[in-house]
Amino acid sequence: METNCYENRELSWLRFNERVLEEAVTPENPLCEQMSFLSIFQSNLDEFFMVRVGTLYDRMLLPEEIRDSKMNMTCEEQLAAIFRETRKMSERKDAVYRDIRNKMAREGVSIFDFKDLTLEEGEYLRKYFDSEVKPLLSPQIIGKKQPFPFLKNKEIYAVVVLEKKGSEKMGIVPCTDGILPQLVALPGEPRRFMLMKELILHFVPDIFERYEIRSKSLIRIIRSADIFPEEEEMDYRRVMERMVRTRRRLQPVKLEYSRLMDPAVLTELCHYLGLSRDQIFYSEAPLDLSFLSEIRDVLHERRELFYPRRVPQIPPEFAGADSMIRLVQEKDRLLAYPFESIDPFLNLLREAADDPRVASIKISLYRVASNSEIAKSLIRASENGKEVLVVVELRARFDEQNNIEWSRRLEEAGCRILYGLDYMKVHSKLCLITMKEEGEIRTITQIGTGNYNEKTSKLYTDLSLMTADPEIGRDANQVFAALCMDQVVEDTKYLMVAPTCLQSRILEKIDGQIEISRNGGHGYVGVKINSLADKVILDKFIEASQAGVQIELIVRGICCLIPGIPGLTENITIRSIVGRYLEHSRIYIFGDEVYISSADFMSRNTKRRVEVAAPVRDEDVRRRIRRMFDVIMRDNVKARIRHADGSYVRAVAEEPYVNSQEVFFEEAYLESGRLPGK
């Protein structure tokens, strides 16, 4: 099959992060929100290098050559392309930061360089450095008896070239210790700041008083975080704790530096850190942009510099309800976050924890809030004598420590804890409440597209379906029964469950639409996901397009398919929404059938994880989800349309303007009888 309708996964992700960076200069976004998008761009890129670039380097160590399945690129070719694109994006990031810094100054907040200061301000900072900063620093000179120190992931160091009696040495000063503030307020008018790292770098000659400073710069390294535990060990939680500690010491994959640095010094740093020159990136912008959150705090009273206030609403059907169990037994219920509150689901769990009819609660946890009300309800249920089974996925990347702590607390309360499967992650969002009522076993099943996390329910768009459908309940019980036996469910009747019966069912559903089109009908597939990279599904989409099936794809991030190519993907449209809230819900539509799911269309989700997709069998709920999908397809404010050349171009903004996220919030407020912002 032709490769010109595919794109490499890693390069597609970089395109997504470029769309995030564009939001930092979008005029319609208030200034403080532009700051957030710039910070998100940097944190996204950091994680990409830690995980994806780290993975590519690991694969290069394997004896066999590994190529990507879409573009047939080797790991070396992918890394070279990543570094080229990252260098271009770094230049754009610098320009965005300059723009935001100028806008900040117009709003009365200034970040100063030393060249801009008066003599009095410079003297004030010298005294401040001598009394408040210098005593907390731990400088080191590199020499024969002073080995090169371990540089921590994402932390900033001042690097200086020192000369004494004709010989040169390198000096290093850690600039991030958790004690020093990121911003130093200047005397006089408020909201005038100097970055702490720049302060340390400026006064670094005072640290190395016996040397002449030949050059100085700030550096920041990113280390690989792509590590896998030795899963055959018995105490899996201990293995994960060791993995978290090990991650802090892994191989560097990227070096960023500010100020122009002597090439010989860069060569020496590369030698010490095991980096190639391709892995070194110059930055005019500060190496750590997290200080922008402090600037946002300074401006918190300027509400016009932020998005208008939005609060998740309680839908009328749940308002004042004395029993969530009864409501769900009456009819399937749907919550759409963040437009609607997670509280009705929390109330369902609280009620189940205390209801004497409830015999058991089974749930799969991937990422939970640090102060999780969901976990507290599970603890309460266990203390009330109910069987509580909690599948805790300790391998939720970068959330391992929080999951470890909650697993301890749940276990101490008497909950039965499973740490997923030895050989794959459990990523499903599934909760099963089983009760005995009037001599019959009844169930309530909740299936979600997002994590059981109260914090992210206010930041991510997700769907949560609650149903008393006994057939869905039986399938959900099969899933948990298999997990308890350290197995995956082989087959289910209604739920699609990866790794064994999700991808194959999706292909069958698409085949059904292909058959409709070939018989002269209107075949249709609509999918909303975060990522599209599963080669098997990509090829099936191409086959469906060639058969005349209309395919509408809403893919927020990675998208390895290019639409609109004659003879291949001409019946496929692709759009991406990057807006105020992180688009996270997964919706599959095949003709009249609607599913919601935890799974993206990536092989790791469809074949190497436990994921669940649930049919929406209630007509009202199905109609509502179809309408939500249609509204997103009409978004002409935050949508970007993918073209046949692979580029993403903003939708033409014309009346009526449709910002889908704002539409859903306005509707939630209207139904609750409140006004936005109240």
Side-chain angles (χ1 to χ4, degrees), residues 180-405:
L180 294 170
Q182 293 200 78
L183 297 172
V184 180
L186 293 171
E189 298 180 15
R191 300 181 176 180
R192 302 167 70 247
F193 302 99
M194 169 72 63
L195 291 174
M196 175 60 73
K197 284 83 173 178
E198 292 294 332
L199 179 74
I200 294 172
L201 189 66
H202 181 80
F203 288 114
V204 79
D206 293 359
I207 299 173
F208 300 99
E209 297 175 310
R210 299 182 180 181
Y211 293 84
E212 182 179 348
I213 307 298
R214 305 298 297 173
S215 67
K216 59 183 180 179
S217 181
L218 295 172
I219 67 169
R220 177 176 179 264
I221 67 165
I222 302 298
R223 292 183 177 274
S224 170
D226 186 57
I227 55 180
F228 299 92
E230 298 175 21
E231 295 175 337
E232 66 272 14
E233 295 196 30
M234 295 299 293
D235 190 337
Y236 194 58
R237 183 160 56 202
R238 187 175 300 169
V239 173
M240 296 304 298
E241 288 174 328
R242 187 163 63 249
M243 188 199 75
V244 173
R245 292 194 298 270
T246 303
R247 175 175 285 155
R248 301 179 187 128
R249 301 189 61 85
L250 282 176
Q251 173 66 26
V253 291
K254 182 184 183 188
L255 170 68
E256 299 171 293
Y257 69 99
S258 68
R259 310 289 182 90
L260 295 177
M261 189 182 289
D262 189 319
V265 179
L266 288 175
T267 299
E268 189 172 0
L269 284 170
C270 286
H271 170 72
Y272 282 128
L273 296 169
L275 295 171
S276 70
R277 293 300 289 264
D278 287 340
Q279 294 169 271
I280 300 176
F281 298 85
Y282 171 70
S283 177
E284 289 183 6
L287 301 181
D288 180 2
L289 295 170
S290 62
F291 74 90
L292 291 173
S293 66
E294 296 185 23
I295 300 296
R296 284 167 51 92
D297 291 342
V298 169
L299 293 168
H300 74 278
E301 294 181 354
R302 300 280 304 280
R303 294 311 307 168
E304 72 276 13
L305 300 181
F306 294 81
Y307 285 132
R309 177 177 166 81
R310 295 287 183 265
V311 178
Q313 298 297 294
I314 303 291
E317 63 190 299
F318 301 111
D322 57 357
S323 172
M324 277 296 303
I325 291 176
R326 180 179 55 79
L327 278 181
V328 176
Q329 287 177 331
E330 289 175 356
K331 189 181 189 303
D332 288 1
R333 309 288 176 172
L334 183 76
L335 291 170
Y337 310 143
F339 322 108
E340 296 170 343
S341 172
I342 194 175
D343 285 352
F345 173 67
L346 298 179
N347 290 337
L348 174 64
L349 279 184
R350 294 185 187 112
E351 182 181 351
D354 291 329
D355 193 317
R357 297 171 299 173
V358 172
S360 69
I361 302 174
K362 300 172 184 177
I363 193 170
S364 56
L365 300 182
Y366 193 74
R367 300 184 194 273
V368 294
S370 56
N371 186 30
S372 174
E373 291 298 321
I374 290 167
K376 291 175 185 177
S377 290
L378 298 174
I379 289 171
R380 182 176 178 85
S382 180
E383 291 173 343
N384 284 340
K386 304 180 190 308
E387 178 193 359
V388 179
L389 172 67
V390 187
V391 182
V392 181
E393 182 50 77
L394 295 185
R395 291 164 294 188
R397 199 182 298 272
F398 306 120
D399 269 2
E400 297 95 346
Q401 191 60 49
N402 185 53
N403 286 4
I404 288 168
E405 292 305 319

Side-chain angles (χ1 to χ4, degrees), residues 441-593:
I441 301 298
R442 296 180 179 174
T443 60
I444 289 179
T445 310
Q446 184 272 343
I447 307 99
T449 65
N451 296 306
Y452 294 108
N453 188 310
E454 299 92 316
K455 181 178 179 180
T456 57
S457 74
K458 299 177 182 178
L459 304 172
Y460 298 178
T461 74
D462 272 308
L463 297 173
S464 173
L465 175 67
M466 295 169 283
T467 179
D469 187 325
E471 293 171 318
I472 298 295
R474 278 194 289 273
D475 276 5
N477 193 52
Q478 277 186 254
V479 174
F480 284 111
L483 291 173
C484 288
M485 300 300 292
D486 195 32
Q487 298 171 354
V488 295
V489 66
E490 290 299 327
D491 192 25
T492 49
K493 189 171 182 181
Y494 296 98
L495 298 180
M496 298 180 182
V497 185
T500 57
C501 49
L502 187 141
Q503 185 197 69
S504 59
R505 296 269 188 89
I506 290 169
L507 298 177
E508 289 173 6
K509 299 293 183 184
I510 300 174
D511 279 334
Q513 298 305 306
I514 291 174
E515 189 67 21
I516 290 172
S517 288
R518 286 176 175 164
N519 290 331
H522 177 64
Y524 175 81
V525 175
V527 175
K528 180 182 182 295
I529 47 179
N530 302 327
S531 302
L532 174 61
D534 185 321
K535 181 70 159 48
V536 175
I537 295 178
L538 293 178
D539 289 346
K540 183 59 69 174
F541 278 151
I542 295 170
E543 180 187 344
S545 173
Q546 292 173 321
V549 177
Q550 180 190 2
I551 302 173
E552 295 180 327
L553 304 178
I554 303 167
V555 187
R556 184 195 78 222
I558 295 169
C559 182
C560 297
L561 187 64
I562 298 175
I565 297 176
L568 290 171
T569 58
E570 58 192 335
N571 291 310
I572 299 175
T573 59
I574 299 175
R575 61 176 50 215
S576 171
I577 305 287
V578 178
R580 174 175 181 172
Y581 303 99
L582 182 79
E583 289 291 339
H584 196 253
S585 56
R586 288 92 163 188
I587 301 169
Y588 313 157
I589 303 172
F590 310 101
D592 294 328
E593 294 183 274

Side-chain angles (χ1 to χ4, degrees), residues 24 28 73 118 146 170 248 258 337 359 390 464 480 557 611 667:
E28 292 77 18
M73 298 171 71
T118 65
Q146 300 85 22
M170 183 186 295
R248 301 179 187 128
S258 68
Y337 310 143
V390 187
S464 173
F480 284 111
E611 305 270 13
E667 292 176 349

